[in-house]
Amino acid sequence: MVYKTDELHIYEKKVLKAFESLGFSLKPEKIAKKQKMDIKAVMSAAGSLESKNLVKIHRKTDYLIRLNDEGLKYAKEGLPERRLLNYLLEKKSIKMKDLFRESPFEKKDINIGIGWLKKKNCIKIKKGVLEVTKKCEKFIDKDFEDEKLLKELLKKEEIWYSSLTKDLKKGYELLKNRGLLDIKEKTTHVLEITEEGKKLLDEGLEIIEEATQVTHEDLKSGRWKRLKYRPYDIFVEYPKIYPGKTHPLRDIIEEIRKIFISMGFKESRGPIVESAFWNFDSLFQPQDHAAREMQDTFYLKNPKICDLPDEKLVKKVKDVHEHGGSTGSEGWGYKWDISIAKKPVLRTHTTCISARFLFENKPPVKMFSIGRVFRRETITYKHLPEFHQVEGIIASKDVTFRDLLGTLREFYKKLGFEVRFRPAYFPYTYLSTECEIYLPEKGSWIELGGAGMFRPEVLEPLGIKTPVAAFGLGIERLAMIKLGIDDIRMLYRSNIEWLRKNPLVKGIKLS
């Protein structure tokens, strides 16, 4: 694109004009001094001229290197590996256990020294005996690369990276990786006029002060007629705007909330710190169940115990666990321990909210809850120790397992998924099923949660005499599918680029 001189801002003209008298390759500071401009104004104009191919900006980055406190200590006292090497040369060889017991060095310095001497191929360890290698003999009276730079920095205090020799640059990498340097980055600029810029200069540049705004006095006095105005370019590029918006995971949670509300469910909430009684015992989960173990559940040190609810309820739960109550079940056939039930945990599922709700509210009811749950999971691309779950129940004398399947099918349909069910096992439901949705692009089904009819052993202590359909569904996996991501950790990373690319408002369709 060819630019005319009257299309340029006055600062752009001033920068170009400087090349006319000072040469074709200039530092911004020199232009600022010549044209009596602020350096920021020069760089702003240069950036605009570069986008118009009238000026080329050459950038050069250098690093000012200094020793930090730990580096200064090593420069004065010697690196741990050097002090250890000198000690080993006196001993010839030494057992590892004797080294830690007899040497004058701290355990930390010994570990650091051994690690770096191994990296520098200066020692070998065989059957617990540490010896100096022949390869290291040349370093007895010769400095390592990092030692050379340490000595230089001790003498000069600070050095520019560009001035380092090849050996010192190797030492720089070693010391930087060890965190012994204080590094400051500095970028310098050189502006060079292009052939297009020279042509524009040859045409002649007239620098006239331009009006950036018209005042009341300008209008009143008629001065506005004599002012020089810069042409307004309606095709000029504009910066992208990224307004504030809710997180994509929060959008999906709100979408799920609106779906259940539209289906006639009432929302409920419960505490994150829960007693083992509500989290496990009330749901007929035996006290020796694998899910209760420390590797699956977060137990709290404080508070040490939780208060339990109504004594009658506790007694009924105990009886169901030990003998099955009056349900016709044999229970689990063990001696139920109230002290285990009092242990505080971070809830492992939101099903405990359903148990509480049924105890406090009599059927008919339709309830759902959305909340965070916690499990001792290793963090991977598909597992987190903390995630969201949506839980729900339908309690009515007429509710059936078929009603449960129909409800879940309708829920997933509103989210835009095809769903199927397959048999499953859960301690607190029977019949039980797992929900799976189909992913056409992958040609496979993925499991998203469990559901079933609460067992009589769960309902009897709570005083519920009607059937109760229950479900618990994971939200993060749904979010991954809807957002098109393969790593669950992305939902919790501060990846500003990914967050910006997601739509401002996600449509919620309630069919």
Side-chain angles (χ1 to χ4, degrees):
M1 182 175 179
V2 179
Y3 288 90
K4 296 179 181 179
T5 56
D6 62 354
E7 292 177 343
L8 300 180
H9 189 276
I10 187 171
Y11 287 169
E12 294 174 309
K13 292 179 183 178
K14 284 185 175 182
V15 169
L16 283 177
K17 199 73 175 173
F19 289 102
E20 201 170 50
S21 57
L22 299 177
F24 296 146
S25 183
L26 303 171
K27 289 186 176 181
E29 294 80 7
K30 197 170 184 180
I31 296 175
K33 185 176 180 181
K34 170 70 177 177
Q35 301 295 60
K36 297 179 181 179
M37 293 171 64
D38 183 80
I39 189 69
K40 291 181 180 178
V42 172
M43 290 307 300
S44 176
S48 181
L49 289 169
E50 184 177 44
S51 69
K52 297 169 182 173
N53 197 32
L54 300 176
V55 163
K56 177 68 177 174
I57 303 176
H58 299 282
R59 299 166 177 84
K60 183 180 179 182
T61 301
D62 204 352
Y63 304 94
L64 186 62
I65 307 164
R66 297 174 64 96
L67 291 172
N68 60 23
D69 291 341
E70 189 178 8
L72 188 60
K73 176 188 173 185
Y74 287 158
K76 292 176 179 178
E77 299 177 1
L79 289 169
E81 61 265 34
R82 172 59 67 181
R83 286 180 279 139
L84 182 59
L85 178 61
N86 293 337
Y87 180 80
L88 293 174
L89 289 169
E90 293 178 8
K91 296 285 184 179
K92 303 300 182 183
S93 67
I94 189 171
K95 292 181 179 179
M96 287 288 288
K97 62 179 181 180
D98 293 337
L99 176 63
F100 283 95
R101 187 171 60 242
E102 298 173 5
S103 72
F105 309 119
E106 293 182 5
K107 184 178 179 181
K108 174 187 172 185
D109 287 339
I110 294 175
N111 288 328
I112 294 173
I114 289 174
W116 280 98
L117 286 176
K118 286 178 71 176
K119 287 180 182 178
K120 295 174 180 180
N121 296 316
C122 282
I123 58 170
K124 58 182 179 180
I125 303 172
K126 190 175 181 180
K127 294 182 178 180
V129 178
L130 195 151
E131 295 180 0
V132 178
T133 64
K134 289 184 178 180
K135 290 182 181 179
C136 197
E137 290 178 359
K138 64 180 179 179
F139 290 111
I140 294 172
D141 299 314
K142 183 181 177 182
D143 289 331
F144 296 113
E145 285 92 347
D146 43 6
E147 286 181 310
K148 292 177 184 178
L149 183 55
L150 278 176
K151 290 181 178 180
E152 287 294 314
L153 288 168
L154 190 61
K155 287 190 293 184
K156 299 180 181 179
E157 289 192 6
E158 58 184 31
I159 301 175
W160 287 103
Y161 176 81
S162 57
S163 69
L164 297 180
T165 62
K166 187 177 180 180
D167 281 351
L168 290 180
K169 284 182 178 178
K170 290 181 181 178
Y172 165 80
E173 293 299 328
L174 290 170
L175 294 179
K176 183 181 75 169
N177 292 337
R178 294 176 74 162
L180 301 179
L181 299 177
D182 181 12
I183 304 168
K184 291 185 179 178
E185 182 180 309
K186 184 178 181 182
T187 302
T188 55
H189 302 85
V190 175
L191 310 185
E192 180 184 2
I193 191 169
T194 65
E195 291 301 319
E196 291 296 324
K198 291 176 184 177
K199 289 178 185 177
L200 212 56
L201 270 183
D202 293 339
E203 292 177 11
L205 282 174
E206 185 180 7
I207 298 178
I208 302 173
E209 292 294 333
E210 297 173 335
T212 57
Q213 62 181 0
V214 178
T215 66
H216 174 72
E217 284 299 321
D218 293 333
L219 294 172
K220 188 177 178 181
S221 63
R223 182 171 174 269
W224 65 272
K225 297 176 183 179
R226 302 188 298 276
L227 293 175
K228 171 69 176 177
Y229 301 99
R230 184 185 176 201
Y232 187 80
D233 186 359
I234 62 171
F235 299 106
V236 71
E237 290 187 9
Y238 58 90
K240 289 184 178 180
I241 298 172
Y242 300 101
K245 56 185 177 181
T246 53
H247 192 280
L249 180 58
R250 174 53 54 187
D251 285 335
I252 290 169
I253 288 173
E254 289 304 315
E255 183 177 0
I256 291 170
R257 175 176 281 118
K258 290 186 179 182
I259 288 173
F260 277 114
I261 290 173
S262 73
M263 293 171 69
F265 283 78
K266 176 183 178 181
E267 186 173 10
S268 182
R269 290 189 174 96
I272 287 175
V273 176
E274 189 58 277
S275 66
F277 177 85
W278 283 116
N279 198 77
F280 297 119
D281 296 274
S282 66
L283 296 169
F284 195 54
Q285 200 157 324
Q287 293 185 334
D288 59 355
H289 193 281
R292 294 203 187 200
E293 295 179 6
M294 288 295 290
Q295 62 263 34
D296 288 318
T297 306
F298 289 103
Y299 286 90
L300 276 63
K301 289 184 178 179
N302 288 302
K304 293 182 179 180
I305 60 171
C306 291
D307 293 332
L308 297 188
D310 185 272
E311 287 184 15
K312 291 181 180 179
L313 173 60
V314 174
K315 187 176 179 181
K316 288 178 181 179
V317 168
K318 176 179 183 295
D319 187 42
V320 162
H321 275 251
E322 292 181 351
H323 311 294
S326 58
T327 63
S329 165
E330 294 181 357
W332 296 113
Y334 71 95
K335 187 171 177 59
W336 187 80
D337 189 343
I338 193 171
S339 63
I340 294 176
K342 288 182 177 181
K343 288 183 178 180
V345 301
L346 291 179
R347 66 185 180 197
T348 60
H349 49 198
T350 48
T351 315
C352 50
I353 298 176
S354 295
R356 278 181 176 271
F357 190 86
L358 285 172
F359 181 61
E360 296 167 358
N361 300 269
K362 301 306 176 186
V365 292
K366 290 175 72 175
M367 181 280 294
F368 81 99
S369 65
I370 300 175
R372 295 192 180 212
V373 297
F374 308 84
R375 296 177 190 174
R376 284 183 175 269
E377 297 273 10
T378 301
I379 297 176
T380 67
Y381 71 96
K382 60 180 181 179
H383 291 107
L384 290 174
E386 177 181 346
F387 54 96
H388 289 83
Q389 193 176 60
V390 56
E391 174 80 17
I393 54 171
I394 307 170
S396 169
K397 64 179 181 179
D398 300 321
V399 72
T400 65
F401 186 66
R402 181 173 290 183
D403 294 320
L404 173 63
L405 301 185
T407 299
L408 292 173
R409 196 181 298 278
E410 181 68 12
F411 165 72
Y412 283 112
K413 180 182 176 183
K414 288 177 181 290
L415 281 174
F417 297 114
E418 178 186 352
V419 65
R420 76 174 183 184
F421 305 98
R422 63 180 177 84
Y425 167 77
F426 302 106
Y428 37 88
T429 58
Y430 183 83
L431 302 164
S432 301
T433 185
E434 283 186 346
C435 313
E436 296 180 332
I437 60 173
Y438 185 69
L439 303 180
E441 65 277 9
K442 293 187 177 181
S444 62
W445 295 81
I446 183 171
E447 185 265 317
L448 290 176
M453 305 299 291
F454 270 149
R455 293 173 63 110
E457 295 94 333
V458 174
L459 299 178
E460 184 187 87
L462 299 173
I464 304 300
K465 297 179 181 179
T466 65
V468 177
F471 56 85
L473 315 170
I475 292 179
E476 270 76 0
R477 284 193 180 182
L478 268 174
M480 289 172 66
I481 297 164
K482 287 182 74 68
L483 297 172
I485 60 176
D486 296 320
D487 192 329
I488 195 171
R489 292 169 292 191
M490 181 63 74
L491 296 171
Y492 293 94
R493 284 178 178 154
S494 299
N495 187 323
I496 194 69
E497 183 180 358
W498 178 74
L499 292 171
R500 283 173 171 173
K501 285 180 179 178
N502 278 284
L504 179 61
V505 179
K506 297 188 71 63
I508 298 174
K509 297 179 181 179
L510 303 178
S511 55

